Amino acid sequence: KQEVTQIPAALSVPEGENLVLNCSFTDSAIYNLQWFRQDPGKGLTSLLLIQSSQREQTSGRLNASLDKSSGRSTLYIAASQPGDSATYLCAVPPEGNTGKLIFGQGTTLQVKP
Amino acid sequence: DGGITQSPKYLFRKEGQNVTLSCEQNLNHDAMYWYRQDPGQGLRLIYYSQIVNDFQKGDIAEGYSVSREKKESFPLTVTSAQKNPTAFYLCASSIDRGNYGYTFGSGTRLTVV
């Protein structure tokens, strides 16, 4: 059974720092991995989608990497800003790809001005 | 702009009442999903539908019902059998079974009064 873990659960950094959020999964037979952002009381916003054949994806100050063999993905945020404060979730489809997503518990990021 | 619209944003339910949460998408996605989010428990799948007139139970379907009469719409009814319905409900869609990622709505917060 696929399990997704995100470490750390919470992170507080000063503005301008580069930071890395971690996501690990137990079953390496994934189709893709998606990173989301969630602001308090809001829905999920897709940040990056990495297909199983890809090693990384970039969007602006965000870079996500995927290492299937080790069951890990990282989300790198460059030059963090207070507006980056949110909860970040990673998710993978389980074996069989029925369309369901398995989510990690999330990392809540606070960027202090 | 294409997207997913969830309504209402806030919903209050009295004991013993059934309530229906609306989810509409104009992305031409085949698959639609309902997730429930509780503090400290992450997101859990309630129901999902991969094609019109077909849907499957997720991990926590008891006390909920859905219909998929149109491709664009996937309403969720929270019945009186759901004993603890207070939560944040998120609707999502994907082109197929998620090979190209998922799009989420802005959520409905349901509170029992």
Side-chain angles (χ1 to χ4, degrees), chain A residues 77-106:
Chain A
I77 302 177
S80 58
Q81 303 170 357
D84 295 330
S85 298
T87 296
Y88 291 81
L89 296 154
C90 66
V92 298
E95 183 178 358
N97 198 19
T98 55
K100 301 187 293 183
L101 273 177
I102 308 297
F103 283 89
Q105 294 289 337

Side-chain angles (χ1 to χ4, degrees), chain B residues 88-100:
Chain B
F88 190 52
Y89 291 86
L90 286 161
C91 179
S93 70
S94 63
I95 292 177
D96 49 13
R97 298 183 177 184
N99 290 330
Y100 301 98

Side-chain angles (χ1 to χ4, degrees), chain A residues 4-21:
Chain A
V4 179
T5 304
Q6 291 186 247
I7 295 174
L11 184 63
S12 181
V13 301
E15 181 177 4
E17 269 202 11
N18 301 326
L19 57 100
V20 174
L21 307 181

Side-chain angles (χ1 to χ4, degrees), chain B residues 27-99:
Chain B
L27 299 165
N28 200 32
H29 284 178
D30 292 313
M32 298 186 73
Y33 314 82
W34 275 105
Y35 286 87
R36 169 177 172 148
Q37 187 176 34
D38 297 278
Q41 294 203 44
L43 284 89
R44 294 179 290 170
L45 182 66
I46 305 172
Y47 267 99
Y48 63 105
S49 167
Q50 293 175 341
I51 57 172
V52 175
N53 293 322
D54 187 46
F55 48 83
Q56 287 78 41
K57 293 182 180 180
D59 301 319
I60 56 165
E62 185 174 351
Y64 300 98
S65 66
V66 294
S67 64
R68 186 84 187 278
E69 297 177 0
K70 299 186 299 182
K71 188 176 185 178
E72 306 78 31
S73 179
F74 192 41
L76 174 73
T77 296
V78 184
T79 74
S80 58
Q82 172 48 241
K83 298 307 178 186
N84 185 23
T86 295
F88 190 52
Y89 291 86
L90 286 161
C91 179
S93 70
S94 63
I95 292 177
D96 49 13
R97 298 183 177 184
N99 290 330

Side-chain angles (χ1 to χ4, degrees), chain A residues 15-86:
Chain A
E15 181 177 4
E17 269 202 11
N18 301 326
L19 57 100
V20 174
L21 307 181
N22 297 295
C23 172
S24 61
F25 44 94
T26 54
D27 185 348
S28 62
I30 61 172
Y31 287 85
N32 55 54
L33 184 144
Q34 195 165 1
W35 282 93
F36 296 91
R37 167 185 173 140
Q38 185 175 32
D39 293 286
K42 306 294 185 182
L44 274 63
T45 299
S46 179
L47 298 174
L48 290 164
L49 172 70
I50 311 177
Q51 298 293 349
S52 60
S53 59
Q54 298 175 320
R55 299 281 296 183
E56 65 178 57
Q57 281 282 353
T58 298
S59 176
R61 294 181 294 108
L62 305 179
N63 176 278
S65 67
L66 176 64
D67 184 345
K68 284 179 56 179
S69 61
S70 65
R72 293 173 58 186
S73 176
T74 61
L75 179 67
Y76 175 82
I77 302 177
S80 58
Q81 303 170 357
D84 295 330
S85 298

